[in-house]
Amino acid sequence: MKQFLYILPLALSPVMAQVADAKAACTAALDAMKTAQSEDMGSVITAVLDSTGGDEQAYYRLMKEAADAGHPVALLWSARQMLTQLKVQRKDLENAPEAVNMRAALEQAASQGYVPAMVELAHVCGNGIGAPADEDAGMKHLMAACKANSARARAGYLLLSGRLDKGGAASAAVAAELKKNNFYLEEFLAAMIGRHDEEKSRDWMTKAASHGSPGAACTLAFYYLQQGKHALGLEFLKQAAERNHPEALAQLASWTLPEAQLPEGLKDALKPDTEAAIRLFQKAALLGYTPALIPLAGEYHKNPGKYKPERVFELYRMAADAGDPRGGVAFAYSLACGRGCTQDTERGVRILTQLVDAGVPFANMALADLYFNGTGVPADMGKALSALTTAASAGVPQCYTLMAVIAQLGNASRPSEPTRARMYLRMAQERGEMNAQQAYDTMVQQGGWRFIP
């Protein structure tokens, strides 16, 4: 036993070194952000992913540790996480304990001279989050940020003080600020006149993008893509992604997947690369873009040899906590089946039933799977068909194909019914479902179907 104890620290040393390296990389990136008065978390995310081999969960763990230690950048990050959860859970933004804690985190960060926290605190005070609304306190924090040369705060002050010309022409105060290339102000002008003058709005947005705005670059990307100007749209999309705009990162990720259906003008412009796509999805998700969580989980699910089921389940949980209905369904289904977690069918079915009541049709499909296959519940063809019928009537036509499959196969509660199967398949085809016959043949040959294969 003594010999084993001598060997154990040597065996653990690579793991401990990796943890130490990740923490050091995270701390260094946070310190650099504090010094630069930046709020772009892209550098921190990159540092953690690089030092952990792409472990997104390490990012949350290290950020929480940094917030607990009082680092101002991590405190701002933590406050924004709390605010997101408050909004998802629809809690009282003025009096909920979580709102009070969020405000305290911002105050602690602002007291250390971290300017982005001052700007956020101004917003929180003025809107009554964590305490009654106090516009004077909000303007006080905003002016402190202005004195610290925050472009975002200066644009906000011009807006709140009523010194913006609503006609889109630059007043003296606006003109002076625009000389400083304040893209926050340029973005506001673009939005303000957008409905009345598309060309002028686009000009302001282009200026904002040229002065470093990730949001303006992303907006222009989708604008030009919709116009069919694919090369220009892709150029702005890459620009936005390089500036860590989460939606741009996620869109670029989806187009980088080998199976992506690209617009005709982009087929030769993007190289398929699954690992690159995963990295882009990771960054988008860690920047708070919830829609990136499900496709990231899907890529992990395709490669169980590299990504454990527990990691997939955690992404589903995060999406569910963020209020994504797809995440809620996948989370509940995984609970019911015991995928990547301890099986809890009762809780999983309960959550799926709640989602059904909330009008989420995919929850019906997940329930149909459980009842057809008898996963954690007694097999019940009637309940499976009923759930699929409800989903089909809610606008999911492929459910008719699934109904045809289970009618043809039968289960422990009801024998095969070929006549009923042909009827459902005909209904799928009449409703325009693509490749219904092919999908039906494949699933019947495989002997079943799963909501998540």
Side-chain angles (χ1 to χ4, degrees):
M1 178 61 72
K2 290 182 179 179
Q3 183 181 11
F4 172 75
L5 292 176
Y6 287 129
I7 295 174
L8 184 59
L10 295 174
L12 289 177
S13 59
V15 177
M16 298 302 293
Q18 186 183 54
V19 172
D21 289 346
K23 186 170 184 178
C26 181
T27 301
L30 289 172
D31 288 343
M33 283 186 63
K34 177 184 176 182
T35 300
Q37 294 293 349
S38 169
E39 54 186 310
D40 179 3
M41 295 299 298
S43 59
V44 182
I45 292 169
T46 298
V48 174
L49 292 178
D50 284 349
S51 58
T52 61
D55 181 3
E56 71 279 350
Q57 292 305 313
Y59 170 77
Y60 293 104
R61 183 172 63 253
L62 290 169
M63 288 299 294
K64 185 178 184 305
E65 289 177 5
D68 291 342
H71 197 290
V73 179
L75 285 167
L76 174 58
W77 172 86
S78 179
R80 287 174 170 168
Q81 296 285 310
M82 285 187 270
L83 183 57
T84 298
Q85 285 300 306
L86 283 165
K87 290 179 177 178
V88 168
Q89 297 167 8
R90 299 182 181 179
K91 291 191 176 181
D92 181 354
L93 292 182
E94 181 177 321
N95 301 305
E98 298 91 338
V100 175
N101 293 337
M102 180 217 61
R103 187 178 182 126
L106 286 176
E107 290 172 343
Q108 185 181 352
S111 69
Q112 297 180 54
Y114 185 45
V115 178
M118 297 178 190
V119 180
E120 201 74 25
L121 187 57
H123 166 77
V124 164
C125 291
N127 287 281
I129 302 174
D134 187 338
E135 293 185 5
D136 290 339
M139 288 300 291
K140 177 183 175 182
H141 290 298
L142 192 64
M143 290 306 298
C146 285
K147 291 177 181 178
N149 206 32
S150 166
R152 181 180 165 204
R154 295 196 306 267
Y157 173 72
L158 284 171
L159 173 61
L160 292 172
S161 62
R163 296 171 68 186
L164 287 176
D165 185 335
K166 294 183 179 180
S171 64
V174 173
E177 192 60 42
L178 288 174
K179 288 182 180 179
K180 300 175 183 177
N181 300 334
N182 189 333
F183 72 68
Y184 296 98
L185 186 53
E186 291 163 349
E187 285 177 343
F188 177 77
L189 289 171
M192 185 171 64
I193 64 176
R195 296 180 180 178
H196 311 293
D197 191 333
E198 180 179 308
E199 183 177 355
K200 193 171 185 180
S201 175
R202 187 178 62 247
D203 288 345
W204 280 116
M205 193 66 72
T206 303
K207 289 179 182 178
S210 69
H211 294 148
S213 167
C218 188
T219 299
L220 287 169
F222 288 112
Y223 171 79
Y224 285 118
L225 288 168
Q226 289 173 356
Q227 297 288 320
K229 299 179 180 180
H230 297 112
L232 187 56
L234 181 60
E235 180 184 334
F236 276 111
L237 191 70
K238 288 182 175 179
Q239 190 180 107
E242 288 169 0
R243 295 171 182 172
N244 296 309
H245 190 284
E247 187 176 359
L249 287 163
Q251 182 61 66
L252 201 55
S254 67
W255 281 347
T256 308
L257 292 171
E259 66 273 17
Q261 298 295 315
L262 296 175
E264 192 64 35
L266 297 179
K267 288 183 177 179
D268 297 326
L270 291 165
K271 180 181 178 181
D273 188 334
T274 300
E275 290 304 313
I278 287 175
R279 184 60 172 257
L280 291 167
F281 277 133
Q282 283 179 323
K283 290 191 74 173
L286 294 178
L287 286 166
Y289 189 62
T290 302
L293 291 168
I294 298 301
L296 179 58
E299 292 306 308
Y300 286 175
H301 183 68
K302 292 176 186 176
N303 192 348
K306 185 174 182 179
Y307 304 103
K308 294 181 179 180
E310 290 79 8
R311 200 162 169 182
V312 178
F313 176 76
E314 184 61 22
L315 291 175
Y316 289 152
R317 184 195 64 76
M318 291 168 58
D321 288 347
D324 187 326
R326 299 172 305 163
V329 173
F331 169 71
Y333 177 80
S334 298
L335 271 178
C337 298
R339 291 190 177 194
C341 62
T342 301
Q343 187 170 8
D344 189 342
T345 303
E346 182 179 351
R347 184 185 175 201
V349 170
R350 183 170 66 251
I351 295 173
L352 287 173
T353 303
Q354 291 170 348
L355 290 167
V356 166
D357 292 341
V360 180
F362 293 107
N364 287 287
M365 296 176 68
L367 279 174
D369 173 327
L370 299 180
Y371 285 118
F372 172 64
N373 293 298
T375 304
V377 294
D380 190 322
M381 179 76 80
K383 288 184 177 180
L385 289 172
S386 176
L388 287 174
T389 300
T390 302
S393 64
V396 188
Q398 62 264 42
C399 286
Y400 289 108
T401 303
L402 298 178
M403 292 161 69
V405 170
I406 66 176
Q408 176 64 37
L409 293 174
N411 68 359
S413 71
R414 187 184 297 181
S416 171
E417 300 178 276
T419 301
R420 183 186 290 263
R422 287 194 296 272
M423 177 190 71
Y424 287 136
L425 184 58
R426 186 172 62 253
M427 292 172 70
Q429 294 167 333
E430 289 172 350
R431 284 158 177 77
E433 185 182 349
M434 299 293 291
N435 302 317
Q437 183 70 57
Q438 182 180 347
Y440 169 84
D441 291 341
T442 299
M443 285 185 278
V444 169
Q445 185 177 9
Q446 292 173 345
W449 69 279
R450 287 286 184 184
F451 177 69
I452 299 178

